[in-house]
Amino acid sequence: MLIRRERTGDAAAIDAVHRSAFARQSANAAVDATGLPADPPEVGLVRQLRDDSSAWMPTLSMVAEYHDHIVGHVCLTRAGVGPFPVLSLGPIGVRGDYQRAGVGSALMHAVLGAADALDEPLVGLLGSLEYYPRFGFVPGTRLGILPDRPSWSSHFQLRPLSAYDSEIKGEFHYADPFYVL
């Protein structure tokens, strides 16, 4: 398996990854105009983030490739805590037939390592309280940072990186596309 940056031309394969990864969660979702199941929200989110020049960071959109097929994707985008630029993670997805094989972990380690190498201070996310702590994520309250939507507080987590400064405190704001899900 190879972890690499997203390239021009990968978008359709990345859409397919997120369709597969989140298909179970959206099995009862609405249908589109053709009567087919509508895409999971994560598919549209990645597209909207890619179109948001203030949020999209091409160097931090990564794919897992296995035998020339894209089987996983993760991206970090620009977020903020007050005046401090930080990152948000998501979505991360692994094709259904490659889940539980270490692809997600490999993507997480690669993207967090890349963000650390770029001297980013921290990464925030909304996600599983069982999965993400293994990568060093802690509840946002522990660092004095809360999401700007109180309903997100229970699953809001942060991963401080090497450039983290304890002066970074306050309200976490995601890129605009996260608010239209």
Side-chain angles (χ1 to χ4, degrees), residues 36-163:
L36 296 172
D39 277 341
E42 293 79 4
V43 175
L45 176 59
V46 173
R47 289 180 195 158
Q48 291 174 14
L49 288 168
R50 220 182 260 121
D51 290 342
D52 185 335
S53 62
S54 64
W56 189 248
M57 302 183 73
T59 57
L60 296 174
S61 179
M62 300 185 160
V63 298
E65 192 176 81
Y66 186 73
H67 292 294
D68 298 323
H69 297 284
I70 293 175
V71 300
H73 173 255
V74 65
C75 62
L76 296 176
T77 53
R78 183 57 65 205
V81 176
F84 301 100
V86 299
L87 298 172
S88 61
L89 186 141
I92 179 171
V94 176
R95 246 177 44 188
D97 54 337
Y98 284 85
Q99 291 178 1
R100 302 195 191 299
V103 176
S105 291
L107 284 165
M108 286 295 295
H109 288 298
V111 80
L112 291 173
D116 197 49
L118 292 171
D119 290 326
E120 294 290 343
L122 64 86
V123 176
L125 64 78
L126 287 174
S128 168
L129 301 173
E130 291 80 41
Y131 183 74
Y132 292 103
R134 72 182 77 174
F135 303 104
F137 283 86
V138 298
T141 55
R142 197 177 294 175
L143 299 179
I145 300 172
L146 297 172
D148 57 1
R149 298 272 169 100
S151 62
W152 294 350
S153 294
S154 64
H155 287 81
F156 179 69
Q157 301 168 65
L158 298 168
R159 170 59 155 80
L161 302 172
S162 298

